[in-house]
Amino acid sequence: MSDAAIAIEALRFAWPGHPPALDIDSFTMARGERLFLRGPSGSGKSTLLGLIAGVLQPAAGRIEVLGRDMSALSAAARDRVRADHLGVIFQMFNLVPYLSVTGNVTLPLLFSPVRRKTVGDDAEGEARRLLDRLGLSDPGLLNRRVSDLSVGQQQRVAAARALIGGPDIVIADEPTSALDSDARDRFIELLSEEAARTGAALLFVSHDRSLASHFSRAVDLGEINHAQVAA
Amino acid sequence: MRALLSLAWKSLLNRKGSVLLTLFAVALSVALFVGVDKARTGAREGFGNTISGTDLIIGAPTGSINLLLYSVFRMGNATAEISWPTYEKLAARDDIAWTVPISLGDSHRGFRVLGTNHSYFEHYKYGHNEPLRMAEGKEFDDLFDAVIGADVARELGYTVGTEIVLSHGLGSDFGSGHENRPFRVSGILAPTGTPVDRTVHVSLEAITAIHVGWESGAKNPMSDSISTETIRSFNLTPKSITAVFAGLRQKGTILRTRREINTNKGEPLMAIIPGQALAELWSVTAMAERALMAVSIFVIAVGVVSILTSILTSLNERRREMSILRAVGARPGHIFGLLTLEAGLIGFFGASLGIVIVHVLIAIAGPLVSERYGISLGGTGPGLFDLGVLGAVTLASLLAGAVPAWAAFRRSLADGLSVRL
Ligand SMILES: Nc1ncnc2c1ncn2[C@@H]1O[C@H](COP(=O)(O)OP(=O)(O)OP(=O)(O)O)[C@@H](O)[C@H]1O
Ligand SMILES: [Mg+2]
């Protein structure tokens, strides 16, 4: 099973003081796969991503990320796996307001020697190359405060950040729900292309089932999750 | 660590406004504390440096602090004097090597006049046993010669040869007495940083001479008719003096000598050891000093708490930022470190600014203070004490930062990646 990017078995999770939010028998995602995970609001998508990213700990079951059993690792080791091998894109407000555009893109390198090494000495240059490929080449744009960028631009900066240093898995939690349909399609295209180019597996989460066509495989969280969700 | 420091730094720059306010609060509180301490140590050093080499100061019985203050620091007044024969007996004692008689009571444009003799210039020492040095001219020679301190010369623009008129008592207004007996500046002393700089020195005989006609305590209208030449022919040996500085032949006898003088048969006397009297003075002021230091430490505490508050209140709007940092691989420890570092940076730069403020103020106001009060405010630039304050405030700020840092740490564990805004 160690050839899988993500492998989940008999996973159970509940927020403290709440009924179980997740109860998943089995879920796998292959390395390099581009997978669409669909589910209505409140169905536990973000919660699942938190578990995969090692920020949350399951009550029971197994989560393997790149062959490592996350629940068997120490908190620090889980943080290390995330730093070295994962890129995360949120729905919005992805950027640290006090960092420049390139500062935001290179942020993961601060916490991961592995990715620092992959990128080499010219982190700024690599950031600009990534931004360029994602359609942010205007030098004037790079000097703007990140809070002055449009939401679509912010999301592309976040994508560049998730991709820098060649992580094995990119997790995108509804990254397009604040974008109009043109920008959304363009964003998904660029993100898929870049993930394919770097060989990263892409786990794309959304409640919008129309996006499934962009991906090679789609999974409905409602179908694999047996927990009674209040939503 | 470097990465976190640079993050912390950028985060602070991003909140310049509120951070600067907090930083100023810390700076002012530190400035108050350091300033109070500078004034305190400056006063102590200034006082401690004023007299050295004098074993005993002898005067009429009074409080020992009082005797010290009026004889050395020209503060306050003697309530009684020592008669000349008693002084002569003191000077003749076997265990006393030298004496300097001094007579106070007159003034010149706000500066005290001190009557003494040549032994003053020989035996009065200040600082680390430094003797008085003549910067210009020479010691008084003629009856109406005066030797002025450096500040007197500088402030009044006097040079050797300038004619000056003394006034009776300590009022600074002219025409209150001795204008009929003008003096001539014969010498100017080099600066000492002590009250000597603000003193006009004349001979004891001169003091007697200008008071001819004042025997009743007020000026006899007839006295102006006595010519200066006539006065020169009088016996001008003083009837009494204000105090005596004395040096012993052997330091070992100091306690016995003092006791003998204090129990003098005949005219009652009091002898004090300058260092001891000074210590007594400090023990009186220590309470006030401690209270002042305590208050300023509390003010610093308020400053440090304001750091805590400013970071704590920013925490909610930074929740998103924390989860972004977590998502890119930051450990909860990084979040904790980031916030404590921010607090530490505010504390460090606030304290630095406060110390700079104090030293700039000292550089500006120091000369004025030392002129007015003879206190030098440690104008030697930042020292070990300042460094200690800087370290302590930075440390306290780091500790204060641990409170919001802990809150953020806990929250980042509970939040996961999804922050509900
Ligand atoms: N930090 C938290 N503490 C307690 N309960 C939480 C927390 N985060 C999420 N939940 C609960 O867990 C359940 C799943 O939430 P989650 O955010 O995973 O859903 P989602 O599928 O991502 O929804 P959306 O599409 O709205 O983002 C919800 O019932 C939610 O209220
Ligand atoms: Mg969600």
Side-chain angles (χ1 to χ4, degrees), chain A residues 63-176:
Chain A
I63 303 175
E64 277 188 19
V65 173
L66 302 165
R68 295 169 183 81
D69 182 358
M70 292 298 267
S71 48
L73 295 177
S74 70
R78 278 183 274 129
D79 290 333
R80 165 104 311 145
V81 170
R82 181 172 70 257
D84 289 344
H85 303 290
L86 257 63
V88 178
I89 309 169
F90 297 113
Q91 180 173 355
M92 56 196 311
F93 307 117
N94 262 293
L95 306 181
V96 176
Y98 51 80
L99 294 177
S100 65
V101 171
T102 51
N104 264 286
V105 175
T106 55
L107 190 59
L109 306 183
L110 292 185
F111 302 101
S112 170
V114 173
R115 283 162 85 167
R116 248 196 324 269
K117 213 166 135 220
T118 312
V119 166
D121 291 334
D122 188 18
E124 283 266 324
E126 172 67 8
R128 270 196 293 271
R129 270 192 296 282
L130 277 166
L131 289 167
D132 193 37
R133 276 201 285 274
L134 288 162
L136 297 176
S137 47
D138 181 0
L141 234 140
L142 299 188
N143 295 327
R144 229 171 276 171
R145 286 177 63 88
V146 293
S147 52
D148 293 341
L149 298 178
S150 77
V151 177
Q153 287 164 339
Q154 290 185 24
Q155 292 306 80
R156 279 182 279 172
V157 174
R161 181 180 66 203
L163 288 162
I164 198 166
D168 298 284
I169 303 170
V170 171
I171 290 175
D173 190 356
E174 312 219 32
T176 56

Side-chain angles (χ1 to χ4, degrees), chain B residues 7-332:
Chain B
L7 276 187
W9 179 249
K10 286 173 184 160
S11 154
L12 290 181
L13 285 185
N14 187 52
R15 290 178 288 134
K16 267 192 232 83
S18 78
V19 165
L20 273 183
L21 280 181
T22 315
L23 198 137
F24 276 127
V26 175
L28 290 181
S29 71
V30 168
L32 174 68
F33 179 76
V34 173
V36 165
D37 183 76
K38 292 273 184 259
R40 190 178 72 110
T41 51
R44 287 198 173 200
E45 262 168 41
F47 274 63
N49 277 335
T50 294
I51 189 161
S52 80
T54 295
D55 295 313
L56 290 172
I57 299 171
I58 303 151
T62 173
S64 56
I65 292 174
N66 191 34
L67 174 54
L68 179 80
L69 286 180
Y70 72 68
S71 66
V72 178
F73 299 103
R74 325 266 190 267
M75 290 177 178
N77 284 305
T79 43
E81 301 228 299
I82 308 175
S83 74
W84 187 255
T86 303
Y87 163 65
E88 285 186 310
K89 259 184 252 158
L90 275 174
R93 283 180 66 103
D94 286 341
D95 47 0
I96 287 180
W98 53 263
T99 56
V100 176
I102 61 168
S103 182
L104 294 158
D106 287 324
S107 65
H108 172 70
R109 299 181 65 177
F111 296 102
R112 296 281 185 118
V113 171
L114 177 94
T116 184
N117 60 24
H118 291 286
S119 63
Y120 177 84
F121 299 101
E122 190 182 334
H123 293 297
Y124 182 85
K125 304 275 167 57
Y126 68 97
H128 298 288
N129 247 328
E130 319 244 4
L132 297 176
R133 245 176 4 86
M134 206 60 80
E136 247 182 275
K138 52 188 181 52
E139 291 173 20
F140 44 73
D141 190 16
D142 184 72
L143 183 59
F144 293 108
D145 275 354
V147 172
I148 58 178
D151 287 353
V152 183
R154 189 167 46 82
E155 280 178 41
L156 301 180
Y158 290 172
T159 54
V160 171
T162 305
E163 285 219 336
I164 63 175
V165 164
L166 309 187
S167 34
H168 191 70
L170 304 176
S172 59
D173 41 321
F174 303 67
S176 61
H178 302 311
E179 54 278 284
N180 56 332
R181 316 271 182 241
F183 281 72
R184 199 187 127 268
V185 174
S186 73
I188 298 170
L189 290 167
T192 63
T194 73
V196 170
D197 294 352
R198 310 185 61 74
T199 302
V200 175
H201 306 83
V202 300
S203 66
L204 285 171
E205 290 76 21
I207 297 282
T208 318
I210 58 176
H211 290 101
V212 166
W214 286 77
E215 289 78 3
S216 64
K219 190 172 180 178
N220 182 331
M222 302 300 288
S223 68
D224 281 354
S225 62
I226 308 171
S227 80
T228 300
E229 288 319 305
T230 318
I231 284 180
R232 284 181 191 279
S233 68
F234 288 175
N235 172 14
L236 294 171
T237 306
K239 290 204 164 42
S240 67
I241 55 173
T242 311
V244 182
F245 297 152
L248 298 182
R249 259 181 238 291
Q250 285 174 329
K251 307 281 173 212
T253 70
I254 189 160
L255 293 178
R256 205 184 69 226
T257 306
R258 184 169 75 145
R259 190 171 56 246
E260 283 175 17
I261 293 172
N262 282 343
T263 56
N264 181 43
K265 290 187 196 66
E267 188 174 355
L269 290 175
M270 183 169 107
I272 60 165
I273 301 167
Q276 225 174 60
L278 211 51
E280 213 175 297
L281 175 61
W282 296 145
S283 74
V284 171
T285 59
M287 277 293 277
E289 280 175 19
R290 242 176 278 148
L292 212 54
M293 290 307 261
V295 168
S296 46
I297 284 175
F298 273 110
V299 174
I300 287 191
V302 171
V304 170
V305 168
S306 77
I307 297 179
L308 185 157
T309 322
S310 86
I311 293 185
L312 205 55
T313 51
S314 78
L315 224 51
N316 245 333
E317 67 198 52
R318 298 182 63 186
R319 220 162 146 181
R320 187 74 216 179
E321 172 195 336
M322 299 304 153
S323 74
I324 294 168
L325 290 174
R326 288 281 284 146
V328 299
R331 292 205 303 274

